[in-house]
Every structure is written in structure tokens, then in C-alpha cells.
Amino acid sequence: MHLISIDSLSDEQIAILLDAADLFARTNRERARGSDKLAGRTVLHLFYENSTRTAMSFAMAASRLGATPLTLPVERSSVQKGETLEDTARTLNAMRPDALVVRHRENGAVQRVAELMDCPVLNAGDGTNEHPTQALLDALTLRQHFGSLEGLTVAICGDIRHSRVARSNAKLLPRLGAHVRLAGPPGLLPDEAAESGDIEEAIAGADAVMMLRIQRERLDQDLGDAPGEFLSRYGLTAERLQLAAPHAVVMHPGPMNRGVEIASEVADLAERSLILRQVENGVAVRMACLDLLIEA
Ligand code: ASP
């Protein structure tokens, strides 16, 4: 079994993953948090794009379960000598890893790798397509905070067009009973959502506001925005957050561009900002995913 898209998970598997991750999140806070469930297993990481949270939390997840995480430093690998993605995958497969975690800039690249591997492959983000473990950790964070996602309104705002986080969340959160509103500036919304763009309308009365970074690395041309302009027109300022429900929480998958899509004081709001809780849950969710896939 691979984890490439939210679509590949059944409702039952989603429930199993969230319950297991919730438990791991609790034990991760204890001193004696290690486990040897996956002792002797090796998890390989193949990241063609930069990462802080996903890469480190997958590595921590593997080691917390007793497995050995190994990262191929792509910038110093034979990729630089012209080796194709497929040949790199076949090479790693010949070493018989127990799981492979892949991030790639092209949509569908992780699926292509999965077709060549004998072990489970986990999508750590493919282009603008999907980032399923991010959506799972977002769902867990919401579930922990509100008890359930049933009936919640979640506004996802910013560069939706290029966001694999938005795409995976738009699939997962409604399956758990939440209503998702997508909003972003003109040009940063996907064609199919073009008419639902107003950020203030999306935030109004929402229980959670998830802000997204502008994926400048995926834009053909610079937005040409002056410093501070994006924040005042489209970003989450303290003033805009007041439009949300009084108990509304703030989320962001990271990395944040403070002062662009989110005001610094909003990102750091005690009680209401769940951003570091999302990071914490990233380790637990990836433990649950590795455990389920490797043991399957
Ligand atoms: N870390 C997330 C991703 O890899 C979000 C972002 O980079 O803006 O998709």
C-alpha cells in the first residue's frame, strides 16, 4: 500500500490513522516515548524540493518507532549527473528499503516512483498536486482542538492555485464533516474555484482560518507586489481575524512569510494559533502512516 493521495485512503483507514496519531501525539510528550515497533526497518527519504517540517518529522517519526531514517542528499547525488527519477527509484529499490518518502516538484512524480518500488511509498508533496500527510496532521489538529470536525467551517486562504496543502485538505476535511471555503487573490485561485475568491467572505464566521504561503517558486512571474501590499489586501491581519468566529483558530502549514500572508502578531497569538501544534502533530501523523504502511 502507498500513500499518494487522500483519495487512496478509505474512511476506515483515515479513522485508524487519526486515532493512532492521536495516541502517538500523547506518548511523544512523555519522557519514555520511544518504541521499537519498526526496529530493523529502514525508511529512505528522497526530497527533490526543500523541506524543514516534513523532512524532519518523517525522520523523527521513523526513529521514534525504532526504524532507521536515511536521506539521500539529492543535491550531492547522481541526480546531478543526469540520473533520471525512474533510475534513481530503481536504484533505491534494489537496496530493499522498507519505505520510501518522496517529495518532487512535478505533479504525479511520486506515483511514478511508486509504480517502480516494492515497498510502500509516501507522498511528501508532489508539485501542486497533493500533500496527504499535511492534511492528516491538519485534521488531527482540528480534531484535538474542537473534539470533532463535524460542522466546522474552515477557511483556507492564500495561494490556493499552487497549493498541494489546499488540495489535500479540500479532499480530506469534508470527508470528516467540515465545510471548506477556499479564497485567494485573483490569479492565485484554481480555475474551478474562480468565483469563490473573497477572503473576507471566506473568513466571516469561520471556526478555523488556514493561511497559505505564496508559492513563488511555482509562479511564472513575480506578483510585483510592494512590501506589505499583499498583507493589507489579502493577508490575515488581526483586523480580518475579527471577522471569524470569536473562538476561531489560526493555522498555517509553514514555512510562513510573516508580514506577507500572515501578520506576525496573528501567527504568534497565544491560545488561538495552532501553528506549532500542527508541527508537533506532524511527527505523530507520520508515525501512524509509517506504522500502518510498513506493517500492512
Ligand atoms: N510546506 C508546505 C508544502 O510543502 C507548504 C509550503 O511550502 O508553502 O507544500
Side-chain angles (χ1 to χ4, degrees):
M1 175 186 170
H2 303 297
L3 177 51
I4 308 292
S5 162
I6 289 297
D7 295 331
S8 60
L9 292 172
S10 65
D11 290 346
E12 194 193 347
Q13 285 168 331
I14 291 169
I16 289 172
L17 285 172
L18 293 180
D19 288 348
D22 202 23
L23 215 65
F24 284 132
R26 266 179 261 163
T27 50
N28 280 344
R29 287 190 168 210
E30 290 163 13
R31 259 180 91 79
R33 56 190 165 216
S35 143
D36 58 2
K37 276 191 100 177
L38 298 182
R41 309 288 203 152
T42 308
V43 179
L44 299 186
H45 296 156
L46 179 60
F47 277 55
Y48 286 78
E49 279 191 339
N50 296 343
S51 175
T52 297
R53 279 148 289 271
T54 307
M56 289 311 293
S57 59
F58 261 117
M60 285 197 72
S63 56
R64 289 250 165 98
L65 292 167
T68 304
L70 293 176
T71 300
L72 180 73
V74 167
E75 65 296 343
R76 284 186 281 120
S77 73
S78 292
V79 169
Q80 306 306 328
K81 300 179 186 172
E83 190 160 57
T84 64
L85 176 66
E86 281 75 8
D87 281 334
T88 302
R90 286 186 194 101
T91 301
L92 297 179
N93 191 49
M95 298 177 193
R96 304 196 169 277
D98 295 288
L100 177 67
V101 181
V102 187
R103 169 170 287 190
H104 200 278
R105 70 189 82 82
E106 276 170 39
N107 295 19
V110 183
Q111 174 63 38
R112 268 161 48 212
V113 168
E115 283 158 17
L116 298 168
M117 300 295 295
D118 297 315
C119 66
V121 173
L122 294 96
N123 183 359
D126 64 324
T128 62
N129 183 38
E130 279 219 42
H131 195 349
T133 57
Q134 176 72 44
L136 286 162
L137 76 88
D138 291 334
L140 177 65
T141 305
L142 286 165
R143 196 175 88 164
Q144 286 173 346
H145 188 85
F146 290 104
S148 156
L149 274 77
E150 201 61 55
L152 290 185
T153 296
V154 181
I156 306 182
C157 305
D159 182 0
I160 308 289
R161 187 179 190 93
H162 303 103
S163 176
R164 52 199 179 203
V165 175
R167 204 148 284 115
S168 287
N169 267 310
K171 290 180 175 182
L172 179 64
L173 303 186
R175 284 178 64 182
L176 297 166
H179 175 63
V180 172
R181 296 178 185 159
L182 300 176
L188 294 182
L189 276 171
D191 298 333
E192 66 274 16
E195 79 287 2
S196 62
D198 190 80
I199 292 191
E200 292 182 357
E201 270 173 36
I203 294 176
D207 301 291
V209 183
M210 185 186 298
M211 295 309 296
L212 301 172
R213 181 178 67 90
I214 307 170
Q215 307 271 300
R216 293 192 196 266
E217 68 274 35
R218 304 186 209 286
L219 295 179
D220 305 333
Q221 59 190 59
D222 198 51
L223 289 179
D225 46 327
E229 192 185 328
F230 193 90
L231 181 69
S232 65
R233 292 184 68 179
Y234 308 112
L236 187 61
T237 56
E239 206 182 13
R240 277 201 187 101
L241 182 59
Q242 284 190 355
L243 300 169
H247 58 259
V249 294
V250 175
M251 300 174 79
H252 195 303
M256 283 186 280
N257 285 156
R258 289 173 181 262
V260 182
E261 74 276 6
I262 189 164
S264 219
E265 81 251 31
V266 174
D268 298 332
L269 276 177
E271 317 280 310
R272 298 184 66 179
S273 170
L274 300 185
I275 296 170
L276 291 176
R277 179 57 76 93
Q278 290 172 270
V279 176
E280 181 177 358
N281 283 333
V283 177
V285 156
R286 287 162 183 136
M287 288 171 80
C289 293
L290 287 174
D291 190 26
L292 180 80
L293 269 71
I294 293 176
E295 298 283 57

